[in-house]
Amino acid sequence: MQRRSLKYFVATPLRRDIVNMLAFGALSLLFGSVKFYVPGVEGAFSDLREIPMVLGAYHMINPVFAIGLGVIGSLNTPPEASYLSTVLFHAIALLVTSFVFKYVKKQEPGAVGLSLFGFIYTFAYYIFLIIPLLNLTGYLVGFNLDKGFIALYKSTLFSLRFEMLSTSIIVALYLLQDRFRQSLRKYSENLETLAEERTKHLDEAIKELKLRQQQLVQSEKMASIGSLTSGVAHEINNPLNFISGGIFMLEKIDNDINQNEPSKTKESYASALQMISTGLSRISNVVKALASFSRKAGAQTEKTDIHTIIDNTLLFIHKDISNRIHVEKNFELDQPIPIYPEKIHQVLINLLNNAYYELNREEGDGRKLAINTKKVNGKAVIEVFNSGSKIDDEHIGKIFDPFFTTKNPDEGTGLGLSISYMIIKEHNGSLTAENLGDGVQFTICLPLA
């Protein structure tokens, strides 16, 4: 059997009124079990039942249920008093009280204002409702017929003074805490709503940021492809020269055949084939390397030989290397790395382009570019060292910041290193830069699993 919570039973105003009527009615019976008879007033007694009755009227949504509260709360009327009289004056007083509280709550007073009103109204509740109605209904059932209304009113008022004061104080304190509790609940609900709105805005901002990030990466990738264009043209032009030379030799062979020079023709034919084959092989390597860089990123990493990516990158940009720059490769890593190949390709292009830029600014011999790979503490380490100028101390902490660059405006956007840093972070790796004794080294650390 499914258990029902209290919230289920008070889910509608009707249910809430019924629950309040029964709950506060039961409390009235409990509070009214101890009675203090009013001396000199027949059928009158003092107890604390008015406290839950007034509070029950405060919580009623439909004032009609206040009558039911009066009926329940009067059930323990002593035999020497009149149950009918008790029900009548409580029903009328609580009905009026419920209407009054309903109106006051619509005005949405503060906690202190509501508490002060509750204190004053409870006094008025006794003075203008309970005591007059108690005496009038008593007349109806034959009580105190020998006493005048004014004298009876004064006597009852004096006798109930302590009950009036205690009830007023307790009602005032209850209304104070109830309004604080409601304010706290509203504040909590507002906080939850605000948190949901902020979370929604934050999610939207994150999505927008990721979109902008992807656009920046793509923009930088296109810029990298643009910087490779001349390198690709250079790399294809050289093998094309081989093919062109081979075709020229074939034309010459054709002429030698016509002149009946077979020995010379055979030697030239072999050389021509070799030149054409070499040219086609180089073009094939360039196309494969370019395809590995420009292909669309996959959803999953691929175990890739990092040395192939390094060689492909060098293939594109080696035309920018001065003959006086010594390129050194020390490949010690002996296993593939789970990476996004096209993204790591872009990182290496950015790092090598920056290295060549610095080295080409230097003059003289002895300039060096070194690329090292190794395994350290279970991670793949790729080091790109150049013997160019060191990074200024005030700049080394900023070089991975977006749009930071020390190049001239027409030479760099300041996005290459920041995007490279972001790509390596996406691989759960790290990218650092440090000044060494004779140059600058960028170090990439990538997990091997």
Side-chain angles (χ1 to χ4, degrees):
M1 182 177 179
Q2 187 176 4
R3 297 180 62 183
R4 303 290 190 181
S5 65
L6 180 59
K7 289 184 177 180
Y8 170 80
F9 291 105
V10 297
T12 65
L14 176 61
R15 289 177 180 172
R16 194 174 305 128
D17 278 343
I18 293 174
V19 170
N20 284 330
M21 181 183 68
L22 296 175
F24 284 101
L27 286 174
S28 295
L29 291 175
L30 179 64
F31 278 51
S33 60
V34 179
K35 298 176 176 59
F36 308 94
Y37 288 94
V38 179
V41 182
E42 185 181 358
F45 55 90
S46 175
D47 56 34
L48 299 178
R49 78 173 70 193
E50 301 303 330
I51 296 173
M53 283 190 174
V54 173
L55 298 180
Y58 166 76
H59 284 290
M60 291 299 175
I61 299 173
N62 187 344
V64 174
F65 284 92
I67 298 175
L69 175 59
V71 172
I72 297 173
S74 302
L75 288 174
N76 61 350
T77 302
E80 58 271 24
S82 172
Y83 174 73
L84 177 61
S85 172
T86 306
V87 170
L88 284 175
F89 78 73
H90 275 126
I92 297 172
L94 292 175
L95 184 62
V96 173
T97 299
S98 182
F99 274 111
V100 171
F101 276 132
K102 186 175 183 180
Y103 172 79
V104 171
K105 285 191 288 186
K106 286 183 179 179
Q107 311 310 310
E108 297 184 351
V112 176
L114 181 63
S115 177
L116 182 60
F117 171 81
F119 182 83
I120 296 172
Y121 177 78
T122 304
F123 266 102
Y125 169 79
Y126 275 94
I127 294 171
F128 300 109
L129 291 174
I130 290 295
I131 297 176
L133 290 171
L134 170 63
N135 293 336
L136 289 174
T137 55
Y139 286 150
L140 291 176
V141 296
F143 290 148
N144 304 304
L145 295 177
D146 56 336
K147 296 180 180 180
F149 181 80
I150 299 299
L152 184 60
Y153 179 86
K154 289 181 179 180
S155 177
T156 307
L157 180 63
F158 180 78
S159 301
L160 296 179
R161 63 188 184 279
F162 295 113
E163 179 184 333
M164 291 169 54
L165 180 61
S166 60
T167 302
S168 298
I169 293 174
I170 293 174
V171 168
L173 292 175
Y174 178 87
L175 296 183
L176 182 66
Q177 69 81 29
D178 184 71
R179 182 47 57 96
F180 276 135
R181 181 174 56 82
Q182 291 181 15
S183 299
L184 185 62
R185 186 178 67 249
K186 288 181 180 179
Y187 181 73
S188 177
E189 291 173 352
N190 290 337
L191 274 182
E192 291 177 0
T193 302
L194 182 62
E196 290 175 358
E197 292 177 354
R198 292 290 175 86
T199 302
K200 182 180 179 181
H201 292 161
L202 184 60
D203 289 341
E204 293 175 354
I206 291 174
K207 290 179 182 179
E208 180 69 16
L209 183 61
K210 287 183 178 180
L211 177 62
R212 298 299 180 190
Q213 191 180 62
Q214 291 172 358
Q215 291 174 345
L216 278 176
V217 171
Q218 189 62 25
S219 174
E220 182 64 18
K221 185 173 181 178
M222 295 306 296
S224 299
I225 291 177
S227 69
L228 294 179
T229 302
S230 59
V232 173
H234 176 81
E235 286 304 314
I236 292 180
N237 186 61
N238 281 342
L240 283 177
N241 288 335
F242 278 90
I243 295 173
S244 177
I247 292 174
F248 174 78
M249 291 185 67
L250 288 176
E251 291 175 346
K252 190 172 183 303
I253 289 172
D254 183 64
N255 185 52
D256 290 342
I257 291 174
N258 293 334
Q259 295 180 6
N260 295 318
E261 298 182 11
S263 59
K264 187 177 181 180
T265 298
K266 185 176 182 180
E267 181 181 346
S268 297
Y269 181 75
S271 297
L273 285 180
Q274 181 62 38
M275 291 176 66
I276 293 173
S277 175
T278 300
L280 289 175
S281 177
R282 289 191 180 184
I283 289 177
S284 175
N285 290 336
V286 170
V287 171
K288 287 179 180 178
L290 184 61
S292 70
F293 175 74
S294 60
R295 69 176 179 172
K296 186 177 180 180
Q300 301 292 331
T301 58
E302 301 175 18
K303 288 195 172 183
T304 307
D305 183 1
I306 192 65
H307 304 142
T308 301
I309 294 180
I310 294 172
D311 289 336
N312 288 343
T313 306
L314 289 172
L315 176 65
F316 285 130
I317 58 181
H318 89 274
K319 79 166 189 66
D320 296 323
I321 306 175
S322 168
N323 292 330
R324 295 183 177 182
I325 297 176
H326 173 64
V327 179
E328 182 180 296
K329 295 188 292 184
N330 300 300
F331 294 163
E332 299 179 6
L333 187 65
D334 58 358
Q335 65 184 100
I337 309 173
I339 57 174
Y340 300 100
E342 70 292 334
K343 292 184 178 182
I344 297 299
H345 206 151
Q346 184 177 356
V347 170
L348 289 171
I349 284 179
N350 289 332
L351 295 182
L352 291 175
N353 272 335
N354 285 342
Y356 290 146
Y357 175 83
E358 292 298 329
L359 290 171
N360 285 328
R361 292 172 62 188
E362 303 291 319
E363 295 181 356
D365 298 327
R367 288 174 282 175
K368 175 183 175 182
L369 170 68
I371 305 171
N372 310 315
T373 66
K374 53 189 174 181
K375 181 179 179 180
V376 178
N377 297 327
K379 291 187 176 183
V381 176
I382 305 160
E383 299 170 341
V384 178
F385 170 83
N386 74 84
S387 61
S389 301
K390 295 183 180 180
I391 303 172
D392 294 339
D393 292 339
E394 65 268 24
H395 293 159
I396 199 163
K398 303 177 182 177
I399 59 173
F400 296 116
D401 293 346
F403 305 107
F404 178 82
T405 181
T406 57
K407 297 180 181 179
N408 295 327
D410 58 340
E411 294 180 327
T413 62
L415 286 175
L417 287 179
S418 65
I419 289 177
S420 298
Y421 183 86
M422 180 184 65
I423 290 174
I424 298 301
K425 282 295 182 183
E426 185 182 350
H427 285 76
N428 296 318
S430 63
L431 173 60
T432 58
E434 59 181 330
N435 290 317
L436 300 182
D438 53 350
V440 177
Q441 179 171 288
F442 286 83
T443 304
I444 301 170
C445 289
L446 295 170
L448 286 169

